[in-house]
Amino acid sequence: MRLEQMEYLISLAETGSITQTAKYFFMSQQGISYSIQQLEKELDVKILHNHRNRVTFTAAGECVLVRARDFVKQYQELQEELQSFQKDKTPSYKARLFLYIDPFMANTFLPRILKKLHKQSKIKLATKEQNLTLLLQTLSDPSEVDGIGLVGLTEHYTTEQFKQKFDFEPIHSCHLQVLVSETSPLAKLPALSFEEIAQYPICLFASDYNSEEVGKDLFFGRTVKNLSVILQTTNVDMYRDMVNKNIAIGLTTDYLESFFHKSSLTGIPLKEPIQFHVGFIRRKGRPFSVMDEEFMAIAKDVLNSQLAKKVSQ
């Protein structure tokens, strides 16, 4: 019997749903089901009845659930009692922090944030990577797991319609750029227009975008016809390689350009500048918890240190 299995059972009792439990723990439904099956095998009893839209506990399962609640409660109490004996006085938290994050932030800044978080904090972080459109839908949906987002937003997210649904705390503002190889003829141009961008194959550091969403999320809702997106990837090396070999152009910002400066890539400004805001987003009216604030302070430190490196280059 493992602690996480006990936590799954408690969540299943509260929600009656493997789907909701999987969302809460940022796992697949198959992962939750397999874990419970392993527990049933270990205890040699059937714990759950699976119905079409819900799960219920068997008589044996109800007994296990009582013990699970006691086990988790005693574990949490033990953690609190032992804090006075621990050399590390860093605050610990019972709950998880759920972070929704867009692909670029997840694959560039997040590893650095996690490294610092591991050294300085006891926050239990669960992350879910989504493109911006899906991320905003998730944050605004009350049935989804409550959390905060770490994203890059273009100008139209400062509109009144956006402000009615979300609170956004910017960390830094920058500008959208076109990423090209230094060997490309485009590298000699002072700036590019939307029409010129549409003439070239595009590689996006993203996933699950359609052309309409690209215009909405990246070009501030401007109509850019006939965009040719030939690859969407969250693999940094593949993205760099596509641009470096002049197979496609990329889209980035002057804030994130430092991730590519060692790859013989360069950023070209847009003739019609689009401002880009990096920061934290939450559902309207949702307060930041102490745990949120601690995580945000660590993340801001990482982001600002990266900005300082760019300025010094």
Side-chain angles (χ1 to χ4, degrees), residues 210-222 224 227:
N210 58 46
S211 58
E212 182 180 340
E213 290 172 339
V214 173
K216 177 183 177 184
D217 287 346
L218 298 178
F219 296 143
F220 192 19
R222 295 170 176 84
V224 183
L227 283 178

Side-chain angles (χ1 to χ4, degrees), residues 173-189:
S173 296
C174 45
H175 290 89
L176 193 67
Q177 290 190 339
V178 179
L179 191 68
V180 301
S181 168
E182 290 179 350
T183 63
S184 168
L186 296 177
K188 299 178 181 179
L189 298 178

Side-chain angles (χ1 to χ4, degrees), residues 71-88:
F71 182 86
V72 172
K73 181 180 179 182
Q74 289 175 12
Y75 179 80
Q76 292 172 345
E77 290 173 349
L78 177 62
Q79 281 187 313
E80 293 174 358
E81 290 174 9
L82 292 178
Q83 280 187 15
S84 61
F85 298 98
Q86 295 168 348
K87 294 180 181 179
D88 182 4

Side-chain angles (χ1 to χ4, degrees), residues 131-148:
N131 77 41
L132 191 55
T133 300
L134 291 175
L135 190 152
L136 293 178
Q137 290 174 358
T138 301
L139 281 179
S140 61
D141 186 350
S143 68
E144 294 287 351
V145 178
D146 183 44
I148 60 174

Side-chain angles (χ1 to χ4, degrees), residues 264-284:
S264 300
L265 303 178
T266 187
I268 308 297
L270 297 176
K271 290 181 179 178
E272 188 178 347
I274 295 179
Q275 199 167 32
F276 204 76
H277 309 278
V278 176
F280 294 99
I281 187 172
R282 53 184 165 154
R283 193 178 300 139
K284 186 70 178 179

Side-chain angles (χ1 to χ4, degrees), residues 47 76 108 124 149 179 223 231 263:
I47 295 174
Q76 292 172 345
T108 51
K124 300 174 184 176
L179 191 68
T223 301
L231 177 67
S263 307

